[in-house]
Amino acid sequence: MAKDKIKRIAVFTSGGDAPGMNAAIRAVVRTAAYHDLHIFGIHNGYEGMIDGDLRRLDIRDVGNIIYRGGTILKTARSKRFMTPEGRRSAYEALQAFDVDACVAIGGDGTFTGAKVFSEEYDIPIIGIPGTIDNDLFGTDYTIGYDTAVNTAVQAVDKIRDTADSHNRLFFVEVMGRNSGFIALATGIASGAGNVVIPEVDTSLEHLIELLRLGVKRKKMFGIIVVAEGHKLGPTTEVAQKVQEAIDFYDTKVTIIGHMQRGGSPSALDRLLASRLGFGAVEGLLAGESNKMIGLVNNEVVFTPFGEAISNSKTPNRNLVRMAEILAI
Ligand code: F6P
């Protein structure tokens, strides 16, 4: 597809939603309108692409959404798009609407699908990283991460009040199936005593040793932030074992869960989403294709889908040590 042939583009959100996706949709639609492109919104991610669930979007359709969480286009994880038949139907649906190029907002599953699709069919796609997990290579931050961290920090601040009042030790589990970015940032920003993430080996013995040290230093309560995907075992079982080893604290578990996925996006997420949405459309028009747009050192960069998916981005291990030292 020659870049000067791009006249009609479609935007969709896919995978888990993330605060700031709407701000990205708004930026895509308005930048496309500025360049006199026709723009369609695809409902329900790849599922809607397969079913031909596309509707025209104009500049007023995306008014009043920059501050809203979720995604006005809805989102889904599509099993059908993993099959060649599903992708063929999706291609035919895009052709029926004369769509020349797509903007996909989502995470690694979304870009894995986009990569395969772009290898099979000649439709340029630019991906915008939208996931609270911040686990994508090719961008320093993903849309939704900052908001999710702020939500988790507010929750820990509240738990701290009750932990302090009752001399309790709380395990607070935050999201991150395979990644510890949210946990690490939340732990540091909330002043938690320990952080347990999948990327760093932490033994139960080490954790118990640190907690005993805390008791000696007269720490009257404690907060341990753990990522959902940590390797110590189910958080409730870990808390139980800690309770058996240390009877000084009454030990509790709080799982913050999907609350982290909702809410009005932070200013940082709105800014990031606006820059990436704008850059995605201008990138397509400049001939970029089958890449994820991201922000690295505050500059917009494009990373081929293959690299964005296969390379991993891991949290800075030194920060785990720093979190422990600062919580002394
Ligand atoms: O990808 C973001 C994420 O929030 C993960 O951290 C979490 O494990 C997952 O989504 C849960 O998503 P869902 O409940 O939609 O399957």
Side-chain angles (χ1 to χ4, degrees), residues 16-17 77 131-133 175-178 182 228 258 261:
D17 65 331
R77 293 188 171 96
T131 163
I132 64 167
D133 288 346
M175 273 189 158
R177 191 168 21 210
N178 303 307
I182 297 177
E228 180 188 357
H258 286 78
R261 288 251 291 260

Side-chain angles (χ1 to χ4, degrees), residues 72 110 114 133 140 161 203 295 299 301:
I72 59 161
T110 305
D133 288 346
D140 289 343
D161 289 341
S203 70
L295 214 59
E299 294 291 338
V301 295

Side-chain angles (χ1 to χ4, degrees), residues 285-308:
L285 293 175
E288 296 289 357
S289 146
N290 309 328
K291 292 179 180 166
M292 184 194 86
I293 187 171
L295 214 59
V296 175
N297 295 329
N298 208 23
E299 294 291 338
V300 167
V301 295
F302 291 89
T303 304
F305 283 138
E307 280 179 41

Side-chain angles (χ1 to χ4, degrees), residues 274-289:
S274 299
R275 286 184 74 181
L276 298 186
F278 173 79
V281 175
E282 297 229 315
L284 274 174
L285 293 175
E288 296 289 357
S289 146

